Amino acid sequence: MLKKGSKLNSILTGSCPRCQEESMYVNQNPYNLKNIYNMHEECLHCGLHYKIEPSFFYGAMYVSYGLTVAIGVAAFIISKVFIGLSLLQSFIAIIMALVALMPLTARLARNIYINIFVHFDKDLVKK
């Protein structure tokens, strides 16, 4: 499932989408908020420029929107249906979930977005 070469591996680990040999991010910890968006300029193994064009990752905002909506719906269903909280408590649970998971969704959105455009190249791994 998470073997090298799968999109899911690159998305969840934040590794280079072309060779999946190194992390795209300078700091692996997404909760280091000062460096949440600091990325290497290019992959040291395959030379892929992560910022394919100027303002490339602005498109990741749309992916981030979808992820936050999914998290909000999941938090509501868990808090209201399964736990049985009131509507106000469910709303507070949604806000808490979105704030707590913001660094993860920001990075995950970037990982998903770049993996839409860049595909794994098995020939690079053999070298």
Side-chain angles (χ1 to χ4, degrees), residues 116-127:
I116 292 172
F117 298 102
V118 180
H119 304 290
F120 181 74
D121 187 357
K122 61 185 173 197
D123 296 331
L124 290 173
V125 177
K126 292 178 183 176
K127 291 180 182 178

Side-chain angles (χ1 to χ4, degrees), residues 52-63:
I52 296 172
E53 59 186 37
S55 306
F56 174 72
F57 286 109
Y58 283 156
M61 290 187 302
Y62 297 104
V63 177

Side-chain angles (χ1 to χ4, degrees), residues 4-126:
K4 189 174 282 191
S6 69
K7 292 270 186 199
L8 193 58
N9 178 42
S10 178
I11 290 169
L12 294 179
T13 61
S15 58
C16 173
R18 189 187 298 164
C19 69
Q20 296 183 3
E21 291 292 327
E22 82 169 353
S23 175
M24 294 188 294
Y25 301 99
V26 174
N27 188 341
Q28 294 281 359
N29 183 6
Y31 285 97
N32 182 354
L33 298 180
K34 282 186 174 181
N35 299 319
I36 190 171
Y37 292 118
N38 286 354
M39 298 178 71
H40 297 288
E41 290 293 321
E42 63 184 29
C43 179
L44 295 175
H45 294 278
C46 67
L48 172 69
H49 275 306
Y50 295 128
K51 295 178 183 176
I52 296 172
E53 59 186 37
S55 306
F56 174 72
F57 286 109
Y58 283 156
M61 290 187 302
Y62 297 104
V63 177
S64 178
Y65 174 75
L67 289 173
T68 55
V69 167
I71 291 169
V73 169
F76 177 76
I77 290 172
I78 291 169
S79 63
K80 183 73 175 157
V81 176
F82 294 121
I83 299 175
L85 298 177
S86 70
L87 194 58
L88 178 62
Q89 291 171 327
S90 295
F91 179 72
I92 292 170
I94 292 169
I95 299 298
M96 288 174 45
L98 291 177
V99 169
L101 296 175
M102 185 278 303
L104 292 176
T105 57
R107 285 225 178 149
L108 197 59
R110 280 185 170 215
N111 297 348
I112 292 170
Y113 192 70
I114 196 168
N115 272 279
I116 292 172
F117 298 102
V118 180
H119 304 290
F120 181 74
D121 187 357
K122 61 185 173 197
D123 296 331
L124 290 173
V125 177
K126 292 178 183 176

